[in-house]
Amino acid sequence: MTTYVLVPGFWLGGWAWDEVAAPLRAAGHDVHQISPDLSPGTGVADHVGRLVGLLERLDGVVLVGHSYGGLVVTAAADRVPQRISRLVYVDSGPLPDGMSQADFDGARPSAPGGMIPVPDRAPPGATGFDWAVVRERGRPQPAATATDPVRHGGAWKAVPRTAILCSFPETRLREMAAQVPAFGLMTEGEWVYREIRTGHWPMFSEPGALAGALLH
């Protein structure tokens, strides 16, 4: 039995992993679907600290982060690398120490009341599924989670790493990593790359393929 901990990206809760978690559980594995605290004022350190608290009670974890979740799992694994058997980044990757999600995206999203609302219209990369599932079930994201810098050292680099690439293939990743420092950590050291040719939200557009990639 493997223990999977699934961390979602912006606007999402543990529900976003339902169709991925089901085949993992059917195969006999233990699955934790994380629902981050999306209260106003919550920041990156809050999400990392809460995740570390869970990981300290587990062992041999396959720690999975989607989108912004990749930032969180990197910092958490850096604090408790002995608890992690593998880091998996789903259309995401580790950001350099001191970089924020907004730095990486190159944009400062509108955040009325300190919260980033769920987009009414599907953003780029939301392909292969109906965005209404996020619009209706998602929740506004605390702005600090976009602007706070991630903090980590080098301990996480000792953990085996897999990148599940959905928005672009490995060849494109290597081209970008050679030109853009923000992508550099995604090719530094030993990685396993898997490709699912879909958009940025494969837990909705290709949940079976994503579960299969996590199982192998």
mmCIF file of all heavy atoms in Angstrom, residues 97-134:
data_model
loop_
_atom_site.group_PDB
_atom_site.id
_atom_site.type_symbol
_atom_site.label_atom_id
_atom_site.label_comp_id
_atom_site.label_asym_id
_atom_site.label_seq_id
_atom_site.Cartn_x
_atom_site.Cartn_y
_atom_site.Cartn_z
ATOM 1 N N ASP A 97 13.793 29.300 -4.518
ATOM 2 C CA ASP A 97 13.600 29.916 -3.210
ATOM 3 C C ASP A 97 13.451 31.426 -3.361
ATOM 4 O O ASP A 97 14.238 32.078 -4.060
ATOM 5 C CB ASP A 97 14.806 29.601 -2.310
ATOM 6 C CG ASP A 97 14.696 30.273 -0.957
ATOM 7 O OD1 ASP A 97 13.744 29.982 -0.226
ATOM 8 O OD2 ASP A 97 15.579 31.106 -0.653
ATOM 9 N N GLY A 98 12.434 31.988 -2.716
ATOM 10 C CA GLY A 98 12.204 33.430 -2.759
ATOM 11 C C GLY A 98 11.276 33.889 -3.859
ATOM 12 O O GLY A 98 10.917 35.069 -3.912
ATOM 13 N N MET A 99 10.843 32.989 -4.739
ATOM 14 C CA MET A 99 9.930 33.357 -5.827
ATOM 15 C C MET A 99 8.491 33.085 -5.406
ATOM 16 O O MET A 99 8.204 32.110 -4.718
ATOM 17 C CB MET A 99 10.264 32.582 -7.103
ATOM 18 C CG MET A 99 9.341 32.883 -8.275
ATOM 19 S SD MET A 99 9.846 32.085 -9.832
ATOM 20 C CE MET A 99 11.148 33.222 -10.331
ATOM 21 N N SER A 100 7.584 33.939 -5.831
ATOM 22 C CA SER A 100 6.161 33.741 -5.557
ATOM 23 C C SER A 100 5.454 33.238 -6.805
ATOM 24 O O SER A 100 5.998 33.292 -7.920
ATOM 25 C CB SER A 100 5.513 35.054 -5.110
ATOM 26 O OG SER A 100 5.438 35.961 -6.208
ATOM 27 N N GLN A 101 4.223 32.776 -6.626
ATOM 28 C CA GLN A 101 3.427 32.349 -7.769
ATOM 29 C C GLN A 101 3.206 33.518 -8.727
ATOM 30 O O GLN A 101 3.255 33.355 -9.949
ATOM 31 C CB GLN A 101 2.086 31.795 -7.289
ATOM 32 C CG GLN A 101 1.223 31.208 -8.394
ATOM 33 C CD GLN A 101 1.762 29.899 -8.938
ATOM 34 O OE1 GLN A 101 2.415 29.151 -8.230
ATOM 35 N NE2 GLN A 101 1.484 29.621 -10.199
ATOM 36 N N ALA A 102 2.981 34.707 -8.192
ATOM 37 C CA ALA A 102 2.774 35.884 -9.037
ATOM 38 C C ALA A 102 4.042 36.242 -9.806
ATOM 39 O O ALA A 102 3.976 36.675 -10.956
ATOM 40 C CB ALA A 102 2.310 37.065 -8.184
ATOM 41 N N ASP A 103 5.205 36.061 -9.173
ATOM 42 C CA ASP A 103 6.457 36.293 -9.882
ATOM 43 C C ASP A 103 6.575 35.361 -11.080
ATOM 44 O O ASP A 103 7.013 35.753 -12.165
ATOM 45 C CB ASP A 103 7.661 36.057 -8.956
ATOM 46 C CG ASP A 103 7.767 37.081 -7.846
ATOM 47 O OD1 ASP A 103 7.269 38.211 -8.024
ATOM 48 O OD2 ASP A 103 8.347 36.746 -6.796
ATOM 49 N N PHE A 104 6.209 34.118 -10.855
ATOM 50 C CA PHE A 104 6.300 33.121 -11.924
ATOM 51 C C PHE A 104 5.309 33.415 -13.041
ATOM 52 O O PHE A 104 5.643 33.350 -14.231
ATOM 53 C CB PHE A 104 6.034 31.725 -11.354
ATOM 54 C CG PHE A 104 5.980 30.643 -12.393
ATOM 55 C CD1 PHE A 104 7.154 30.168 -12.981
ATOM 56 C CD2 PHE A 104 4.766 30.102 -12.786
ATOM 57 C CE1 PHE A 104 7.100 29.177 -13.947
ATOM 58 C CE2 PHE A 104 4.713 29.109 -13.748
ATOM 59 C CZ PHE A 104 5.890 28.646 -14.328
ATOM 60 N N ASP A 105 4.074 33.764 -12.668
ATOM 61 C CA ASP A 105 3.044 34.031 -13.676
ATOM 62 C C ASP A 105 3.287 35.337 -14.421
ATOM 63 O O ASP A 105 2.776 35.528 -15.530
ATOM 64 C CB ASP A 105 1.658 34.115 -13.013
ATOM 65 C CG ASP A 105 1.199 32.774 -12.488
ATOM 66 O OD1 ASP A 105 1.744 31.749 -12.931
ATOM 67 O OD2 ASP A 105 0.305 32.749 -11.613
ATOM 68 N N GLY A 106 4.025 36.247 -13.790
ATOM 69 C CA GLY A 106 4.280 37.528 -14.419
ATOM 70 C C GLY A 106 3.100 38.478 -14.355
ATOM 71 O O GLY A 106 3.028 39.447 -15.100
ATOM 72 N N ALA A 107 2.146 38.196 -13.447
ATOM 73 C CA ALA A 107 0.966 39.056 -13.342
ATOM 74 C C ALA A 107 0.539 39.144 -11.889
ATOM 75 O O ALA A 107 0.736 38.220 -11.108
ATOM 76 C CB ALA A 107 -0.180 38.499 -14.180
ATOM 77 N N ARG A 108 -0.025 40.285 -11.534
ATOM 78 C CA ARG A 108 -0.597 40.479 -10.204
ATOM 79 C C ARG A 108 -2.111 40.477 -10.348
ATOM 80 O O ARG A 108 -2.717 41.450 -10.793
ATOM 81 C CB ARG A 108 -0.120 41.798 -9.590
ATOM 82 C CG ARG A 108 1.389 41.888 -9.454
ATOM 83 C CD ARG A 108 1.879 41.064 -8.285
ATOM 84 N NE ARG A 108 3.326 40.839 -8.346
ATOM 85 C CZ ARG A 108 4.045 40.370 -7.358
ATOM 86 N NH1 ARG A 108 3.453 40.066 -6.208
ATOM 87 N NH2 ARG A 108 5.339 40.157 -7.478
ATOM 88 N N PRO A 109 -2.767 39.361 -10.020
ATOM 89 C CA PRO A 109 -4.211 39.260 -10.255
ATOM 90 C C PRO A 109 -4.999 40.217 -9.387
ATOM 91 O O PRO A 109 -4.602 40.569 -8.289
ATOM 92 C CB PRO A 109 -4.519 37.804 -9.888
ATOM 93 C CG PRO A 109 -3.424 37.417 -8.935
ATOM 94 C CD PRO A 109 -2.211 38.167 -9.383
ATOM 95 N N SER A 110 -6.141 40.649 -9.927
ATOM 96 C CA SER A 110 -7.057 41.483 -9.148
ATOM 97 C C SER A 110 -7.543 40.701 -7.939
ATOM 98 O O SER A 110 -7.919 39.531 -8.049
ATOM 99 C CB SER A 110 -8.248 41.899 -10.029
ATOM 100 O OG SER A 110 -9.206 42.583 -9.276
ATOM 101 N N ALA A 111 -7.506 41.347 -6.775
ATOM 102 C CA ALA A 111 -7.871 40.640 -5.551
ATOM 103 C C ALA A 111 -8.742 41.524 -4.660
ATOM 104 O O ALA A 111 -8.287 42.018 -3.629
ATOM 105 C CB ALA A 111 -6.614 40.206 -4.812
ATOM 106 N N PRO A 112 -10.003 41.732 -5.040
ATOM 107 C CA PRO A 112 -10.899 42.532 -4.190
ATOM 108 C C PRO A 112 -11.033 41.913 -2.803
ATOM 109 O O PRO A 112 -11.264 40.714 -2.672
ATOM 110 C CB PRO A 112 -12.228 42.477 -4.947
ATOM 111 C CG PRO A 112 -11.866 42.117 -6.363
ATOM 112 C CD PRO A 112 -10.665 41.241 -6.251
ATOM 113 N N GLY A 113 -10.836 42.751 -1.791
ATOM 114 C CA GLY A 113 -10.947 42.247 -0.431
ATOM 115 C C GLY A 113 -9.871 41.257 -0.062
ATOM 116 O O GLY A 113 -10.018 40.476 0.881
ATOM 117 N N GLY A 114 -8.762 41.293 -0.793
ATOM 118 C CA GLY A 114 -7.665 40.379 -0.487
ATOM 119 C C GLY A 114 -7.886 38.960 -0.974
ATOM 120 O O GLY A 114 -7.159 38.052 -0.576
ATOM 121 N N MET A 115 -8.879 38.758 -1.845
ATOM 122 C CA MET A 115 -9.185 37.426 -2.363
ATOM 123 C C MET A 115 -9.221 37.464 -3.888
ATOM 124 O O MET A 115 -9.704 38.425 -4.491
ATOM 125 C CB MET A 115 -10.528 36.946 -1.827
ATOM 126 C CG MET A 115 -10.634 36.883 -0.303
ATOM 127 S SD MET A 115 -9.566 35.616 0.438
ATOM 128 C CE MET A 115 -10.483 34.135 0.013
ATOM 129 N N ILE A 116 -8.703 36.414 -4.507
ATOM 130 C CA ILE A 116 -8.720 36.292 -5.963
ATOM 131 C C ILE A 116 -9.948 35.471 -6.350
ATOM 132 O O ILE A 116 -10.034 34.285 -6.024
ATOM 133 C CB ILE A 116 -7.451 35.598 -6.469
ATOM 134 C CG1 ILE A 116 -6.199 36.351 -6.004
ATOM 135 C CG2 ILE A 116 -7.466 35.481 -7.991
ATOM 136 C CD1 ILE A 116 -4.906 35.606 -6.238
ATOM 137 N N PRO A 117 -10.920 36.077 -7.009
ATOM 138 C CA PRO A 117 -12.157 35.341 -7.312
ATOM 139 C C PRO A 117 -11.936 34.244 -8.344
ATOM 140 O O PRO A 117 -11.010 34.306 -9.156
ATOM 141 C CB PRO A 117 -13.083 36.435 -7.853
ATOM 142 C CG PRO A 117 -12.172 37.495 -8.381
ATOM 143 C CD PRO A 117 -10.950 37.472 -7.499
ATOM 144 N N VAL A 118 -12.805 33.255 -8.299
ATOM 145 C CA VAL A 118 -12.799 32.216 -9.321
ATOM 146 C C VAL A 118 -13.200 32.851 -10.652
ATOM 147 O O VAL A 118 -14.213 33.548 -10.718
ATOM 148 C CB VAL A 118 -13.789 31.090 -8.964
ATOM 149 C CG1 VAL A 118 -13.769 30.002 -10.034
ATOM 150 C CG2 VAL A 118 -13.474 30.500 -7.599
ATOM 151 N N PRO A 119 -12.428 32.657 -11.704
ATOM 152 C CA PRO A 119 -12.795 33.264 -12.993
ATOM 153 C C PRO A 119 -14.157 32.770 -13.486
ATOM 154 O O PRO A 119 -14.470 31.583 -13.396
ATOM 155 C CB PRO A 119 -11.673 32.799 -13.931
ATOM 156 C CG PRO A 119 -10.524 32.480 -13.031
ATOM 157 C CD PRO A 119 -11.137 31.945 -11.778
ATOM 158 N N ASP A 120 -14.946 33.689 -14.023
ATOM 159 C CA ASP A 120 -16.232 33.308 -14.594
ATOM 160 C C ASP A 120 -16.035 32.506 -15.873
ATOM 161 O O ASP A 120 -16.792 31.573 -16.156
ATOM 162 C CB ASP A 120 -17.078 34.546 -14.890
ATOM 163 C CG ASP A 120 -17.595 35.210 -13.625
ATOM 164 O OD1 ASP A 120 -17.810 34.494 -12.629
ATOM 165 O OD2 ASP A 120 -17.764 36.439 -13.630
ATOM 166 N N ARG A 121 -15.015 32.891 -16.629
ATOM 167 C CA ARG A 121 -14.749 32.211 -17.889
ATOM 168 C C ARG A 121 -13.508 31.329 -17.749
ATOM 169 O O ARG A 121 -12.599 31.635 -16.982
ATOM 170 C CB ARG A 121 -14.542 33.225 -19.014
ATOM 171 C CG ARG A 121 -15.777 34.066 -19.319
ATOM 172 C CD ARG A 121 -15.517 35.004 -20.490
ATOM 173 N NE ARG A 121 -16.701 35.785 -20.822
ATOM 174 C CZ ARG A 121 -16.752 36.674 -21.812
ATOM 175 N NH1 ARG A 121 -15.671 36.868 -22.557
ATOM 176 N NH2 ARG A 121 -17.867 37.352 -22.046
ATOM 177 N N ALA A 122 -13.495 30.272 -18.524
ATOM 178 C CA ALA A 122 -12.368 29.340 -18.470
ATOM 179 C C ALA A 122 -11.079 30.046 -18.872
ATOM 180 O O ALA A 122 -11.015 30.659 -19.935
ATOM 181 C CB ALA A 122 -12.626 28.155 -19.387
ATOM 182 N N PRO A 123 -10.036 29.980 -18.046
ATOM 183 C CA PRO A 123 -8.752 30.572 -18.402
ATOM 184 C C PRO A 123 -8.027 29.709 -19.418
ATOM 185 O O PRO A 123 -8.420 28.568 -19.689
ATOM 186 C CB PRO A 123 -8.006 30.607 -17.063
ATOM 187 C CG PRO A 123 -8.620 29.521 -16.257
ATOM 188 C CD PRO A 123 -10.047 29.395 -16.707
ATOM 189 N N PRO A 124 -6.946 30.228 -20.018
ATOM 190 C CA PRO A 124 -6.166 29.414 -20.954
ATOM 191 C C PRO A 124 -5.704 28.113 -20.289
ATOM 192 O O PRO A 124 -5.294 28.108 -19.136
ATOM 193 C CB PRO A 124 -4.978 30.318 -21.286
ATOM 194 C CG PRO A 124 -5.477 31.706 -21.055
ATOM 195 C CD PRO A 124 -6.422 31.596 -19.894
ATOM 196 N N GLY A 125 -5.790 27.025 -21.015
ATOM 197 C CA GLY A 125 -5.376 25.739 -20.473
ATOM 198 C C GLY A 125 -6.499 24.936 -19.864
ATOM 199 O O GLY A 125 -6.319 23.756 -19.549
ATOM 200 N N ALA A 126 -7.676 25.557 -19.693
ATOM 201 C CA ALA A 126 -8.826 24.830 -19.132
ATOM 202 C C ALA A 126 -9.563 24.147 -20.279
ATOM 203 O O ALA A 126 -10.652 24.557 -20.678
ATOM 204 C CB ALA A 126 -9.737 25.771 -18.376
ATOM 205 N N THR A 127 -8.955 23.102 -20.811
ATOM 206 C CA THR A 127 -9.504 22.409 -21.963
ATOM 207 C C THR A 127 -9.911 20.989 -21.590
ATOM 208 O O THR A 127 -9.395 20.401 -20.639
ATOM 209 C CB THR A 127 -8.472 22.339 -23.095
ATOM 210 O OG1 THR A 127 -7.292 21.657 -22.630
ATOM 211 C CG2 THR A 127 -8.073 23.732 -23.554
ATOM 212 N N GLY A 128 -10.862 20.442 -22.347
ATOM 213 C CA GLY A 128 -11.252 19.055 -22.173
ATOM 214 C C GLY A 128 -12.275 18.815 -21.071
ATOM 215 O O GLY A 128 -12.581 17.661 -20.760
ATOM 216 N N PHE A 129 -12.802 19.892 -20.471
ATOM 217 C CA PHE A 129 -13.833 19.745 -19.448
ATOM 218 C C PHE A 129 -14.615 21.050 -19.349
ATOM 219 O O PHE A 129 -14.224 22.069 -19.914
ATOM 220 C CB PHE A 129 -13.210 19.386 -18.087
ATOM 221 C CG PHE A 129 -12.449 20.512 -17.425
ATOM 222 C CD1 PHE A 129 -13.033 21.255 -16.403
ATOM 223 C CD2 PHE A 129 -11.161 20.843 -17.821
ATOM 224 C CE1 PHE A 129 -12.349 22.302 -15.792
ATOM 225 C CE2 PHE A 129 -10.462 21.878 -17.212
ATOM 226 C CZ PHE A 129 -11.053 22.607 -16.203
ATOM 227 N N ASP A 130 -15.709 21.002 -18.632
ATOM 228 C CA ASP A 130 -16.577 22.167 -18.468
ATOM 229 C C ASP A 130 -16.107 22.978 -17.262
ATOM 230 O O ASP A 130 -16.148 22.494 -16.121
ATOM 231 C CB ASP A 130 -18.024 21.699 -18.278
ATOM 232 C CG ASP A 130 -19.023 22.851 -18.270
ATOM 233 O OD1 ASP A 130 -18.591 24.022 -18.204
ATOM 234 O OD2 ASP A 130 -20.237 22.578 -18.320
ATOM 235 N N TRP A 131 -15.657 24.204 -17.494
ATOM 236 C CA TRP A 131 -15.154 25.069 -16.429
ATOM 237 C C TRP A 131 -16.198 25.323 -15.351
ATOM 238 O O TRP A 131 -15.866 25.727 -14.227
ATOM 239 C CB TRP A 131 -14.663 26.389 -17.016
ATOM 240 C CG TRP A 131 -14.101 27.331 -15.991
ATOM 241 C CD1 TRP A 131 -14.671 28.472 -15.519
ATOM 242 C CD2 TRP A 131 -12.848 27.199 -15.293
ATOM 243 N NE1 TRP A 131 -13.855 29.079 -14.582
ATOM 244 C CE2 TRP A 131 -12.730 28.310 -14.424
ATOM 245 C CE3 TRP A 131 -11.821 26.254 -15.324
ATOM 246 C CZ2 TRP A 131 -11.635 28.497 -13.595
ATOM 247 C CZ3 TRP A 131 -10.717 26.437 -14.494
ATOM 248 C CH2 TRP A 131 -10.641 27.545 -13.643
ATOM 249 N N ALA A 132 -17.461 25.060 -15.648
ATOM 250 C CA ALA A 132 -18.523 25.297 -14.670
ATOM 251 C C ALA A 132 -18.270 24.538 -13.371
ATOM 252 O O ALA A 132 -18.681 24.988 -12.299
ATOM 253 C CB ALA A 132 -19.885 24.899 -15.249
ATOM 254 N N VAL A 133 -17.585 23.384 -13.442
ATOM 255 C CA VAL A 133 -17.323 22.620 -12.219
ATOM 256 C C VAL A 133 -16.462 23.424 -11.253
ATOM 257 O O VAL A 133 -16.647 23.367 -10.032
ATOM 258 C CB VAL A 133 -16.664 21.260 -12.545
ATOM 259 C CG1 VAL A 133 -15.252 21.437 -13.101
ATOM 260 C CG2 VAL A 133 -16.617 20.363 -11.310
ATOM 261 N N VAL A 134 -15.522 24.204 -11.780
ATOM 262 C CA VAL A 134 -14.675 25.047 -10.927
ATOM 263 C C VAL A 134 -15.426 26.315 -10.545
ATOM 264 O O VAL A 134 -15.376 26.756 -9.388
ATOM 265 C CB VAL A 134 -13.355 25.389 -11.635
ATOM 266 C CG1 VAL A 134 -12.489 26.286 -10.754
ATOM 267 C CG2 VAL A 134 -12.601 24.113 -11.997
#
